[in-house]
Amino acid sequence: MPGGRLTQQERQQIATGLADGLAYAEIARRLDRPTSTITREVMRNGGPTGYRADLAHRATQQRTHRRRQTAPPGARALPQPYGRDAEAVRAYQETLTTVFMTSGLPKMMARVLGCLYTTDTGSLTASELAERLQVSPASISKAITFLEGLDLVRRERDERRRERYVVDDDLWYQSMIRSARANDQFIETARQGVGILGRGTPAAARLENAARFLDFVSEGLIRAAEQGREVLYTRTEPTPDDEGPTAPPATP
């Protein structure tokens, strides 16, 4: 699978594929590139409806030029524990961030979440996040507030009374339950509309069907989350093939 930066010709093929309605995975297959590369390229340059090959190529060149001119000494990949490849971890963090963005998170919120999930402790302070992501503390604060509202992170105090932002297994369960409950207001409002619009009318039937569908899906989602919660706490033992060189964990 080829590496390196996308060429202008490849960007033109991406634009053509988007115009033809192809999925990212199909475009990636035709270019012999990872799907994450295509997803990241499109999301960085206007999204699927606003992507332009020439503008994307020019923007990438400008970003590369600015990065070379202004990148601070600490912008390199951080040293990693357990013998990990630091550059590979940094690249994976970018890929994970892109996945979060594709799922609907704004860029800064996705970067914070990606940073937390690739940290062994699963927790960092605001100053640690700001240093790792090379952004202002205010940007971190705004992102954390947004993520807290979605039950994707939580706050806690460490032994030095510093506030830390944490991702842990139970947050996936809490977020799933919140997502299911978010449908309740629409379901209730839709059923009110049935009485107002007149049961049996086309508009009322549309609302009633939507309410019944979301009610069914929400109940199934909550039931599945309850049944699957124990999976979040199941620890798998590494196989010999999974084991690699180890080193003392680095301080986050």
Side-chain angles (χ1 to χ4, degrees):
M1 187 171 293
R5 298 186 183 279
L6 291 166
T7 65
Q8 190 164 13
Q9 182 180 5
E10 286 176 315
R11 289 191 167 94
Q12 186 59 56
Q13 289 177 267
I14 291 173
T16 301
L18 292 172
D20 290 341
L22 299 181
Y24 293 155
E26 176 59 22
I27 296 174
R29 187 188 67 77
R30 295 185 180 192
L31 293 178
D32 196 19
R33 290 274 191 172
T35 301
S36 59
T37 298
I38 306 305
T39 304
R40 185 165 56 247
E41 166 70 13
V42 175
M43 295 301 293
R44 281 180 175 176
N45 297 286
T49 59
Y51 186 83
R52 299 292 183 274
D54 54 342
L55 296 180
H57 194 71
R58 190 178 308 122
T60 300
Q61 291 178 322
Q62 291 172 346
R63 282 195 296 267
T64 301
H65 181 68
R66 287 196 301 268
R67 193 177 299 121
R68 288 171 178 170
Q69 286 187 322
T70 64
R76 299 187 308 274
L78 295 174
Q80 291 289 322
Y82 304 110
R84 295 169 181 150
D85 183 322
E87 283 295 335
V89 172
R90 182 193 60 77
Y92 171 74
Q93 185 175 318
E94 288 188 4
T95 299
L96 185 59
T97 296
T98 301
V99 170
F100 286 140
M101 290 172 62
T102 304
S103 71
L105 285 180
K107 183 175 182 179
M108 180 51 62
M109 291 63 174
R111 291 187 69 201
V112 168
L113 205 58
C115 189
L116 286 168
Y117 266 101
T118 50
T119 303
D120 285 302
T121 59
S123 72
L124 293 168
T125 65
S127 61
E128 288 168 343
L129 280 165
E131 181 180 0
R132 287 169 180 245
L133 297 177
Q134 295 293 297
V135 297
S136 69
S139 297
I140 298 299
S141 178
K142 182 179 179 181
I144 290 296
T145 299
F146 182 93
L147 293 170
E148 272 190 308
L150 298 177
D151 291 324
L152 293 175
V153 300
R154 61 179 174 82
R155 301 173 191 245
E156 65 178 28
R157 295 278 182 179
D158 62 18
E159 66 280 358
R160 295 169 57 184
R161 304 300 299 166
R162 297 180 303 175
E163 193 169 70
R164 303 188 71 85
Y165 308 123
V166 181
V167 291
D168 60 17
D169 293 331
D170 201 55
L171 283 168
W172 280 109
Y173 167 79
Q174 297 295 343
S175 180
M176 190 69 67
I177 295 297
R178 179 190 180 280
S179 177
R181 294 300 186 198
N183 293 325
D184 290 350
Q185 185 175 5
F186 175 82
I187 293 170
E188 181 181 352
T189 304
R191 285 175 172 158
Q192 291 173 0
V194 172
I196 294 172
L197 296 169
R199 187 175 298 277
T201 65
R206 187 182 306 113
L207 286 171
E208 186 172 15
N209 288 341
R212 287 165 50 202
F213 171 77
L214 288 175
D215 198 19
F216 178 83
V217 170
S218 295
E219 286 184 9
L221 191 59
I222 292 172
R223 186 163 54 250
E226 295 287 356
Q227 293 172 349
R229 194 175 189 182
E230 63 183 61
V231 174
L232 291 169
Y233 301 100
T234 301
R235 294 290 178 262
T236 57
E237 295 296 327
T239 64
D241 290 339
D242 292 332
E243 294 174 352
T246 60
T251 302

